[in-house]
């Protein structure tokens, strides 16, 4: 067996699911099916994925602005920060209009370009306080977990 496959098979399914949920882009949309495929019950995989996906959000909300301002002055990261902020402002239209409900919907629709990372970035750019943003992000994660679990359950029944 190749090293990578052997290494991954030695990681407990709970740890693999939690870690996968913390990864941007993959987030809980990828972690729930991964956890279920690794042998976890679907509800447990969803709960672990929600917890893992929520971990980076406070750090992004608290440090997002500071890090962006610091990196904006560099030649390499400056254009990337400008692109991220434009993207956050585009995604933020829904949030600006509906405020916390919009943030919950942005996080809760399990499509590419949405999720806790994007929601936390939008909350940081729009200066939404963490005490308001985190409950909306958590509610959105619960919504996304329900949708993703339902889709995952349907996919397993098809196979």
């Amino acid at each position: 067996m190749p090293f990578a496959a052997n290494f991954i098979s030695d990681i407990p399914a709970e740890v693999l699911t939690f870690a996968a949920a913390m990864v941007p882009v993959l987030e809980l949309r990828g972690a729930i099916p991964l956890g279920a495929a690794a042998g976890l019950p679907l509800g447990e995989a969803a709960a672990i994925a929600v917890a893992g996906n929520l971990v980076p959000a406070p750090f992004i909300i608290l440090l997002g602005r500071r890090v962006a301002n610091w990196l904006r002055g560099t030649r390499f990261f400056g254009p990337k920060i400008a692109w991220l902020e434009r993207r956050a402002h585009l995604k933020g239209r829904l949030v600006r209009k509906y405020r916390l409900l919009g943030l919950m919907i942005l996080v809760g629709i399990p499509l590419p370009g949405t999720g806790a990372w994007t929601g936390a970035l939008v909350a940081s750019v729009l200066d939404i306080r963490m005490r308001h943003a985190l409950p909306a992000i958590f509610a959105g994660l619960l919504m996304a977990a329900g949708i993703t679990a339902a889709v995952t359950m349907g996919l397993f029944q098809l196979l």
Side-chain angles (χ1 to χ4, degrees):
M1 188 183 292
F3 172 75
N6 192 22
F7 178 74
I8 290 176
S9 67
D10 290 342
I11 299 173
E14 294 85 357
V15 173
L16 191 63
T17 304
F18 189 86
M22 290 175 48
V23 175
V25 180
L26 189 60
E27 297 189 45
L28 117 124
R29 296 178 299 272
I32 291 174
L34 178 69
L40 290 176
L42 197 55
E44 187 178 342
I48 292 170
V50 166
N53 202 191
L54 194 59
V55 168
F59 299 104
I60 296 168
I61 294 169
L62 283 176
L63 301 175
R65 273 265 152 253
R66 289 185 187 135
V67 172
N69 288 338
W70 180 62
L71 291 175
R72 186 177 289 110
T74 65
R75 188 180 321 171
F76 180 76
F77 287 109
K80 290 164 183 53
I81 296 298
W83 177 82
L84 269 173
E85 287 182 334
R86 278 193 308 275
R87 184 169 182 239
H89 277 289
L90 286 174
K91 297 279 183 183
R93 282 186 285 175
L94 175 72
V95 177
R96 271 194 295 281
K97 184 173 182 180
Y98 297 108
R99 204 66 182 160
L100 296 177
L101 179 63
L103 185 59
M104 183 185 84
I105 292 168
L106 174 67
V107 174
I109 298 172
L111 294 172
T114 66
W117 279 77
T118 303
L121 179 64
V122 167
S124 177
V125 168
L126 297 180
D127 292 321
I128 299 174
R129 291 181 164 251
M130 187 174 353
R131 66 182 169 152
H132 299 297
L134 278 182
I137 290 171
F138 180 68
L141 286 176
L142 292 177
M143 191 169 96
I147 294 168
T148 304
V151 169
T152 302
M153 192 167 53
L155 287 178
F156 280 131
Q157 288 179 357
L158 286 175
L159 300 174

